[in-house]
Amino acid sequence: MKKLALANLPTKIQHFSRWSDECGKQIYVKRDDQTGSEWSGNKIRKLEFAVDEALAQGCNLLITCGGIQSNHCRATVAVATHLGLKSAVLLRISEYPPLEGNYFLDRLMGADVRFCTREEYRDHRGDIMQEMADAYAAQGYKPYIIPEGASFGVGVLGYYAAMKEIVEQEQEMGIRFDTVVVATGSGGTLAGLQLANLIHGYGKRVIGVCVCDDAAYFQDIAARISCEALPYLFNQGEISEHEVSKWAASLKPSDFEFFEEYVGIGYALSRPEELEHIRRMARLEATVFDPVYTGKATYGMVCELREGGRLRSSENILFIHTGGLFGLFPISRTFPVD
Ligand SMILES: *Cc1c(COP(=O)(O)O)cnc(C)c1O
C-alpha cells in the first residue's frame, strides 16, 4: 500500500511461554512498541498514511491533540521534525505540567505547545485546532490537522495494513491466531484491525480493551471511521467500488467488539492491582507494559483468561503491544517496585 516508510516493519511476534504456561493458552505478543524509538508505538502506523496525505496536499505543519502524556502527540512531533515540517500540539492539562515523559520529548523535538483544560478539550478541541491552523496559515504555513489518536479515515489504514502483516507472519510461523487483543483509547487501531478482518474474511475475533469511555462509544466511532476509510482503500486499489458501497451499507457498531470493564478509576489513573500486574509481567517476560494502555489491557486479558472469562474459548491469542513506555517514567517515583 502507498504510505511513508518510517516504522520498523514488520514488527516481531514473540511467544510468551511463561505467561502461556500460567493460563493454559498460547499467548503471543506483537511488538509494535518497537516500531521506532522517538516514534515508537502504534500511532506511527496511522501517521505513515495520514502524513503521506499531508505531504501530497503540500502541507508543511502538523497539528494534533491529546493528553499531556500523549504518545500520539509525541509520535506526530517526531515524524514532523524528521520530515522537516513544523509541529504544534494541543495538550490537555489539569495543572501546570512538569517537563517529563512524552511532554518532555515534544518540547525536546521542538513542537509548539498550546495547553487547554479538560472541558475545553472535551467540547472544543476541534475548534481550537482549527483556530491554531488559521493563525499559522496567516503566517504562511500550510497546516494539516490530525484528530485525536489519528483515529480518522486515512489513519485506519495503518492497522488495516498491520492485520495483513499479521496474516503474512502467521503463514511464515505456521500458526493461526484465533484472537487478537489490543488496548483502545480512540478506536482507530481496533477499527483498522477489524476492518481488514471483515473485508478479507480472516475469521478472527478482534477485541479492544477500553482504557476510557465505554464499549458503545467506541463501537460507534469504529463503525464511523471504518466507513470513512473505505474510499481510501478504494484509492489504494485494495477494494472495488462495489465493495465500497457494500461495506458502507453493512458496517455497523456491533461488528466491533470491546471489553469495557478495565477502565478502572479512569483514563491514565492506575489502581494498585494494575501496577502490581505491570511489575509481575516485567518480571515474568521482561516486557514492560505502560500504565495508561497496555497495562490495563493485559490486566483485562489475565482476568478474562480465568475460569468463566470471555477468553476461555480462545487458544492462540495475539496481544499487540502498542507502546507507551515513556508514560511509565512520570509515575516511577511512586511505583511499587518491591
Ligand atoms: C493511542 C494508544 C493506544 C490506543 O490506540 P487507539 O487507536 O487510540 O485506540 C494503545 N496503546 C498505546 C500505547 C497508545 O499510545
Side-chain angles (χ1 to χ4, degrees), residues 42-43 46 71 151 183-189 290 293 322-324:
N42 60 336
K43 301 308 179 311
K46 307 176 185 193
N71 298 304
S151 288
T184 290
S186 66
T189 302
D290 77 296
Y293 296 97
T322 42

Side-chain angles (χ1 to χ4, degrees), residues 96-117:
Y96 195 76
L99 195 58
E100 60 190 8
N102 285 302
Y103 169 57
F104 166 66
L105 295 173
D106 295 342
R107 295 280 302 272
L108 188 64
M109 292 185 282
D112 280 2
V113 172
R114 174 162 167 179
F115 295 126
C116 69
T117 66

Side-chain angles (χ1 to χ4, degrees), residues 126-139:
D127 302 330
I128 301 173
M129 285 195 291
Q130 188 55 55
E131 198 179 282
M132 291 164 71
D134 294 344
Y136 284 110
Q139 295 171 38

Side-chain angles (χ1 to χ4, degrees), residues 141-191:
Y141 285 103
K142 185 141 194 258
Y144 182 89
I145 297 178
I146 302 171
E148 183 179 66
S151 288
F152 63 147
V154 64
V156 168
L157 271 58
Y159 274 84
Y160 174 96
M163 183 55 109
K164 293 176 59 177
E165 179 180 306
I166 289 167
V167 169
E168 273 173 31
Q169 288 175 302
E170 281 183 323
Q171 281 154 9
E172 283 161 21
M173 297 168 77
I175 303 170
R176 182 178 180 275
F177 305 113
D178 49 61
T179 306
V180 178
V181 182
V182 73
T184 290
S186 66
T189 302
L190 186 284

